[in-house]
Amino acid sequence: AMSFPSDIEIAQINEHDNMKNINEIANKIGLTPDDIEPYGHYKAKFSGRSITKSMEKDDGKLILVTSINPTPAGEGKSTVAIGLADSLQSIGKKTVLALREPSLGPVMGMKGGATGGGYAQVVPMEDINLHFTGDMHALTCAVNTLAALIDNHIHQGNQLNIDPRRIVWKRALDINDRALRNTVVGLGGPFNSMPREEHFEIIVASELMAVLCLAQDIDDLKERISSILIAYTFDKKPIFVRDLHVEGAITVLLKDALKPNLVQTLENTPAIIHGGPFANIAHGCNSILATKLAMKLGDYAVTEAGFGADLGGEKFMDIVAPRLSHAPNAIVIVATIRALKYNGGQALSDIQNEDLNALNLGFKNLKRHIHNMRYYHVPVVVAINKFATDTDNEIKLLTSLCDELGVDVQLAEIHHEGSKGGQALAKAVVKATEKESQYTRLYEDEETTEAKIATIASEVYGANNVEYSKKARNQLQTLKDNAWDDLPICIAKTQYSLSDDPKRLGSPKDFTLHVTDIVPKLGAGFVVVLTGNIMTMPGLPKKPAALNMDVDNEGTIGGLF
Ligand code: ADP
């Protein structure tokens, strides 16, 4: 048998034969060539004027795609989100997709890109996965410009009395670079700034990424940037970007990055790809502007939240949804038989073999996520992302386990078949969006930080206890002292488990959530709570994906998944 082509092989054939000029894609959603700013023939940004104009339209239905806890390879959440959008389009629904921009960290590292797979991809996939329209670079530049301005302020006499040991703003790169997690800057004597400890983050974890993703327009972006906490003084008073008077300069650097990007799927469905915070260390959703545009320009908008429903899903519902005109009308939970068996104890090396017992055990993980998403009182549909190795017995068992819970379940074969493999799912999702929903939040912002953390830990993760490190306790006090207590919570946690321990699979019970640090992100408007051993600068694996990549003399890239 011929082996199934790789993602990049499928994408490259399509890019050659079927990809439409971006003006044609814009036209599908009622935009003229004046409404977009093309970056080449197949990518464009929305013009400022077309964003404003679009916002006056009525909202379509919003569909949120999330998933169970994944295996290290990912569970095909982006693939299903893209395939679902194509399937909706193929049954005659005007659909617009909103997704995150890939980060080069996982592209070069281990998880791969974020442009889907098989016959459900967004294109041009090489561009989107690499430099795209430069948003990541603009953000990186802005983050490091702010860092340089802080160090320069200290070097030039430190009028604000900033304590160099208490600078909280970190430099950032879009690279998994563990060597830069902890470093020293300013060595070399008095002409080379003040020596101090510095820490790099990956750009997708930086507060500026969250700020870009939550800003509603340039004024809001500037206001949020001016509110970013950058340091404390020697007498522990907070210093903000506004104290340095550089919010204007930082906003200038992000003027174009704020505009969402328009591309297309393999089946020419319009896709808005913008902003890319990771869900394990940040809030995990594409920009609010992208989601809003998708809702305004489509009768159906499909968006995705990173990693499982415990991370991106919860953050979408508690941080993002209150900032949209309405909450999702339906939630799709992507499950794979592989990942459920992995959650049920089957070894990864064995995962292609039928194991009904492991599937039965691992189903607990899906059950927990269904329970969690039902909490928000929005209709839930389960999509089984079909892999070639799934057996009929396994599919039958999983379907009947879902039936027992009274949740609608559909097999999605979009990876191998494109939209025609997802029409049943699309119809089920349309039906779900027509049901009554009564969006309910998990917590109120006015509750204390500890109460909010306790609610997420017990209601979403299933923990029975939360333990705070000394550093985290001190931070709780700082939040109280400064009246920063009424913000939503953004938990940084491993994506592999509902707990903070990546090895505890399934649906763990009676465990303690370990809070190691708490970081107020006042520009983003949330509090980041770090748990377990999670770090905001990932490292590269022993065999990074970079080893497979190459480009020929014509500029054709190979080995990008
Ligand atoms: P996630 O969004 O959950 O991280 P992705 O959609 O990015 O996952 O998919 C991760 C990888 O898995 C991609 O390379 C994709 O081609 C592959 N994949 C997804 N679904 C399937 C499937 N049904 N069969 C085979 N490979 C798949």
Side-chain angles (χ1 to χ4, degrees), residues 65 77-78 82 97-103 111 113-116 122 128-129 132 136 204 209 213 261 263 272-287 290-291 302-308 312:
V65 178
K77 202 166 9 64
S78 306
I82 296 163
L97 183 64
L99 292 180
R100 288 173 300 160
E101 299 185 44
S103 157
K111 198 177 148 287
T115 49
V122 282
I128 300 170
N129 278 313
F132 200 19
M136 292 285 178
V204 294
M209 172 60 91
C213 287
N261 308 291
V263 289
I272 305 174
I273 303 196
H274 190 224
F278 286 171
N280 54 348
I281 47 185
H283 77 280
C285 313
N286 60 255
S287 75
T291 302
V302 177
T303 190
E304 175 208 349
F307 293 121

Side-chain angles (χ1 to χ4, degrees), residues 4 10-22 24-26 28-29 42 78-97 99 115-125 128 262-271 412-423 426:
F4 195 75
I10 292 174
Q12 283 174 344
I13 290 170
N14 172 279
E15 286 161 16
H16 186 268
D17 295 346
N18 184 43
M19 195 160 55
K20 302 252 191 297
N21 186 288
I22 199 64
E24 265 186 74
I25 301 300
K28 277 182 120 166
I29 42 177
Y42 305 105
S78 306
T79 306
V80 171
I82 296 163
L84 173 60
D86 282 341
S87 301
L88 284 163
Q89 177 186 254
S90 79
I91 60 166
K93 307 292 181 193
K94 190 172 164 197
T95 307
V96 182
L97 183 64
L99 292 180
T115 49
Y119 289 97
Q121 296 189 52
V122 282
V123 284
M125 81 86 98
I128 300 170
L262 181 65
V263 289
Q264 62 193 292
T265 67
L266 293 181
E267 299 192 18
N268 315 114
T269 305
E413 302 188 66
I414 40 84
H415 184 274
H416 277 48
E417 294 179 16
S419 65
K420 69 176 187 301
Q423 291 186 346

Side-chain angles (χ1 to χ4, degrees), residues 319-337:
I319 297 173
V320 177
R323 282 152 190 84
L324 297 173
S325 48
H326 67 79
N329 301 88
I331 299 176
V332 175
I333 302 179
V334 178
T336 61
I337 285 171

Side-chain angles (χ1 to χ4, degrees), residues 29 59-61 94-96 293-301:
I29 42 177
D59 285 309
K61 299 262 169 80
K94 190 172 164 197
T95 307
V96 182
L293 281 171
M295 289 164 77
K296 297 289 181 189
L297 298 171
D299 295 332
Y300 293 84

